[in-house]
Amino acid sequence: MSDTPIFSTPDRLSRQSEKELAKLDLSFEFFPPKTDKMEARFWETLERLAPLSPRFVSVTYGAGGTTRGRTTKMVSRIEKESGVKAAAHLTCVGATKEEVNEVVRGYKDAGVSRIVALRGDPPEGVGQPFQPHPEGYRNAADLVAGIRTIGNFDISVACYPEKHPQSPDWYAEFENLKRKIDAGASRAITQMFFDNELYLRFVDRARNAGIEAPIVAGIQPIHNFTQISNFAGRCGATIPKWVAERFEGLEDDPETHALVAAAVAAEQVTELVDRGVTEFHFYTMNRSPLVYALARLLGRRPENSRG
Ligand code: FAD
């Protein structure tokens, strides 16, 4: 043991001990695995992250319902086998109301009580105009209202700190978010963002627009800069120049890439905690190390390691 005195720096919230820190809510997003090998990684990641007491673990729904069976299978297994609450993502693109309702009833029968309700994107991609199915839900707000008629689900919806690429203006953006909350959603989870000011400004604007529901910060650790920047570009999230510069030239240096990714994400989440943010949703890409370390920075320890 060293004799170095331990002193606290109460000026930064992120440096306070877990007991002093406001209670943080964490959730972890997974995608349904396609192969046996990917499925093994899914369960390993879940096993590692589940003891961190997430509010829930969510499983995405492939574009146009392509993973419907796999999403249902994974969420019901998570509930049964890990004891962690699972949330199933659900989209309404390209399906009739009855087809979507059947999936919702399936979740209900499997004991899944949480849904992340989304419109989804046209099969041609996010840049293409959205055409609702003639007998389908028209948008996410309509879907939330439909889910509510089937059961008392805890519903989350999506929101966009940089505006949805199809929103004509901020007024339309917040009117749409308000409709989703008024239809029965309990919270909104943001699209990934890499500049905290965008998120903080978005929350301010939402409050000014009369939206009081929690706006959970969606955090995308940069596991692979090339992949994430392509994906971010497609969904209208910008990567600041300073972030891009930190990853420049690291394509063939995975070790440094991983260290830089950890540093960038750590800076992002600790700054958000310092600014009073208490709810985080991590896009895990079915990998645990980075998210596990970030949860630790936020004061989270595995349940069984506490005395
Ligand atoms: P909506 O809220 O319906 O709105 C989308 C756009 O349409 C907005 O610009 C809005 O202003 C406009 N709009 C909606 N209704 C009206 C109206 N009545 N009049 C005028 N304009 C309107 N996709 C998947 O395929 N699977 C997933 O599992 C998935 N998970 C996601 C999780 C999170 C946290 C996030 C942020 C996104 C996720 N997505 C997923 C992506 C999502 O499907 C797309 O971003 C999609 O383009 C919009 O979905 P939404 O639910 O936000 O749509």
Side-chain angles (χ1 to χ4, degrees):
M1 283 285 279
S2 121
D3 289 335
T4 312
I6 295 174
F7 59 91
S8 64
T9 46
D11 50 324
R12 284 192 65 173
L13 283 170
S14 60
R15 290 184 182 171
Q16 295 190 356
S17 73
E18 193 191 6
K19 286 192 199 83
E20 292 156 330
L21 206 58
K23 187 184 172 308
L24 300 181
D25 275 307
L26 311 185
S27 50
F28 303 131
E29 182 175 308
F30 288 67
F31 62 85
K34 275 197 190 124
T35 61
D36 288 351
K37 198 170 156 209
M38 286 165 82
E39 181 160 346
R41 193 173 81 195
F42 179 104
W43 293 113
E44 275 164 30
T45 303
L46 184 71
E47 206 176 310
R48 180 98 167 122
L49 298 180
L52 298 175
S53 317
R55 169 157 62 184
F56 60 81
V57 159
S58 78
V59 181
T60 60
Y61 198 75
T66 45
T67 65
R68 176 177 162 163
R70 278 182 285 136
T71 301
T72 310
K73 178 182 135 195
M74 299 319 274
V75 283
S76 40
R77 273 192 68 187
I78 291 170
E79 285 270 341
K80 284 196 197 97
E81 294 175 23
S82 75
V84 174
K85 289 274 169 221
H89 291 221
L90 176 65
T91 68
C92 57
V93 59
T96 66
K97 282 187 185 177
E98 192 35 45
E99 284 164 345
V100 173
N101 292 350
E102 198 186 309
V103 179
V104 178
R105 287 191 288 267
Y107 290 157
K108 193 176 171 189
D109 294 344
V112 174
S113 60
R114 292 171 176 264
I115 294 181
V116 182
L118 306 139
R119 186 198 73 179
D121 289 313
E124 303 77 36
V126 65
Q128 299 309 308
F130 176 78
Q131 278 298 334
H133 188 288
E135 291 158 46
Y137 290 111
R138 285 167 293 132
N139 50 44
D142 202 17
L143 172 64
V144 172
I147 295 170
R148 274 264 162 269
T149 64
I150 299 174
N152 186 25
F153 290 94
D154 172 279
I155 303 174
S156 304
V157 290
C159 65
Y160 304 86
E162 296 178 69
K163 233 168 11 77
H164 186 278
Q166 286 158 353
S167 272
D169 51 42
W170 281 109
Y171 177 78
E173 183 72 19
F174 289 116
E175 281 301 298
N176 183 53
L177 181 54
K178 221 187 290 179
R179 277 194 294 273
K180 297 198 273 194
I181 301 293
D182 291 346
S186 307
R187 73 190 65 75
I189 302 174
T190 75
Q191 181 60 274
M192 66 175 96
F193 61 92
F194 300 96
D195 177 346
N196 286 341
E197 292 308 321
L198 292 169
Y199 167 82
L200 295 164
R201 211 177 309 146
F202 179 82
V203 174
D204 270 354
R205 282 177 158 149
R207 301 297 176 236
N208 289 337
I211 296 166
E212 285 168 14
I215 297 177
V216 182
I219 304 294
Q220 174 69 75
I222 303 181
H223 297 97
N224 178 322
F225 181 75
T226 310
Q227 229 176 48
I228 297 294
S229 55
N230 287 339
F231 184 51
R234 285 200 301 277
C235 55
T238 48
I239 308 246
K241 190 162 164 276
W242 64 267
V243 172
E245 281 174 356
R246 287 183 183 185
F247 287 96
E248 215 170 70
L250 293 181
E251 297 77 11
D252 300 318
D253 184 352
E255 208 175 316
T256 312
H257 186 294
L259 291 168
V260 170
V264 166
E267 185 179 335
Q268 178 171 27
V269 296
T270 50
E271 191 195 29
L272 288 170
V273 171
D274 288 341
R275 305 282 290 266
V277 177
T278 58
E279 300 188 47
F280 295 87
H281 181 77
F282 288 99
Y283 297 106
T284 71
M285 313 294 279
N286 295 7
R287 291 169 197 273
S288 67
L290 203 38
V291 172
Y292 187 87
L294 291 171
R296 187 177 176 90
L297 283 185
L298 298 180
R300 200 54 67 93
R301 301 288 181 271
E303 255 171 4
N304 53 12
S305 76
R306 294 202 184 101

